[in-house]
Amino acid sequence: GAGVSQSPRYKVAKRGQDVALRCDPISGHVSLFWYQQALGQGPEFLTYFQNEAQLDKSGLPSDRFFAERPEGSVSTLKIQRTQQEDSAVYLCASSLVPAGRSSYNEQFFGPGTRLTVL
Amino acid sequence: AQSVTQLGSHVSVSEGALVLLRCNYSSSVPPYLFWYVQYPNQGLQLLLKYTTGATLVKGINGFEAEFKKSETSFHLTKPSAHMSDAAEYFCAVTRSGGYNKLIFGAGTRLAVHP
């Protein structure tokens, strides 16, 4: 089947605009993660969903960032009033079973959305 | 808290030469360790992982890594580099329990020249 898909692949926003980034996880995957990858850096965790429940949002950098997964499948990351420091690649990953078990379950990553804020 | 340090942001090797990418981690609990590869404009692809058991793990494309607890290291190696290995490589750590969020290093860009 298809892997994780993200849209749009590229987004240019003027400072102060709101943006919405979409993630379609692998069908049936329970866990969904968002990461932010700044230029020249490794990805950093933003938030985690188990089905529709957002269980960890400790990585969201400010209250301008909001994520949802209302039906437990597609997820949207929304950034309000974008700032230049929000420019990054936003990666989505999904895994089959709930995180927090004793064994690790592989996270499958999408291609990312490259956000540029002018 | 967990963290990852990758020594060398850029590594250049000749085709056919040994590839060695260094990763050291910090973790107060037994870690799960990973190497991911990222090609331009693509997502992260898992190369290999260590969770428990054998400390020498083999991955895809001829890569392997050895978990050395005493050195808190998880270096990635490949005996003979190929041009197609040119990419960005990320070491990552997580732990059992919790939400398995990955903590990544800053990455090492591998260049392979003829």
Side-chain angles (χ1 to χ4, degrees):
Chain A
V4 178
S5 61
Q6 294 186 245
S7 60
R9 290 293 314 278
Y10 303 90
K11 177 69 178 178
V12 178
K14 292 183 179 179
R15 189 172 57 183
Q17 284 184 329
D18 297 348
V19 298
L21 312 180
R22 176 186 171 108
C23 172
D24 287 78
I26 295 172
S27 178
H29 277 199
V30 168
S31 293
L32 187 145
F33 301 79
W34 283 98
Y35 293 86
Q36 180 190 57
Q37 185 177 15
L39 186 64
Q41 300 296 318
E44 292 190 358
F45 170 81
L46 292 177
T47 188
Y48 165 68
F49 289 87
Q50 182 176 307
N51 294 309
E52 70 279 4
Q54 188 175 21
L55 299 184
D56 187 345
K57 53 182 181 179
S58 62
L60 296 177
S62 78
D63 58 7
R64 296 185 294 104
F65 286 70
F66 173 77
E68 61 183 5
R69 194 186 184 198
E71 298 179 357
S73 55
V74 171
S75 177
T76 303
L77 176 66
K78 298 180 179 179
I79 309 173
Q80 297 177 325
R81 305 181 303 282
T82 53
Q83 303 295 314
Q84 285 189 322
E85 62 262 28
D86 300 334
S87 295
V89 175
Y90 291 85
L91 296 168
C92 175
S94 69
S95 67
L96 181 60
V97 297
R101 301 285 177 83
S102 59
S103 60
Y104 175 81
N105 292 286
E106 181 178 348
Q107 294 180 29
F108 295 86
F109 283 81
T113 294
R114 182 178 297 277
L115 173 65
T116 302
V117 182
L118 303 177
Chain B
Q2 296 179 304
S3 66
V4 174
T5 302
Q6 292 185 239
L7 298 176
S9 59
H10 291 81
V11 170
S12 181
V13 300
S14 299
E15 190 174 19
L18 172 71
V19 175
L20 171 60
L21 304 183
R22 299 178 187 274
C23 172
N24 288 88
Y25 70 91
S26 172
S27 179
S28 58
V29 297
Y32 293 161
L33 294 158
F34 310 86
W35 277 99
Y36 282 85
V37 61
Q38 187 176 38
Y39 297 100
N41 299 318
Q42 294 187 26
L44 296 165
Q45 180 182 9
L46 182 66
L47 275 179
L48 49 80
K49 67 178 184 286
Y50 168 79
T51 54
T52 59
T55 56
L56 181 63
V57 293
K58 296 184 183 299
I60 61 172
N61 301 337
F63 285 93
E64 63 182 36
E66 186 171 10
F67 170 59
K68 292 188 177 180
K69 184 178 179 180
S70 61
E71 298 178 7
T72 61
S73 69
F74 191 58
H75 302 330
L76 181 71
T77 60
K78 182 175 180 177
S80 177
H82 192 272
M83 297 295 288
S84 60
D85 295 327
E88 185 101 27
Y89 292 80
F90 293 95
C91 182
V93 64
T94 189
R95 61 178 179 86
S96 62
Y99 295 125
N100 289 155
K101 58 186 178 185
L102 293 167
I103 309 299
F104 287 89
T108 297
R109 183 167 298 277
L110 175 66
V112 182
H113 51 86

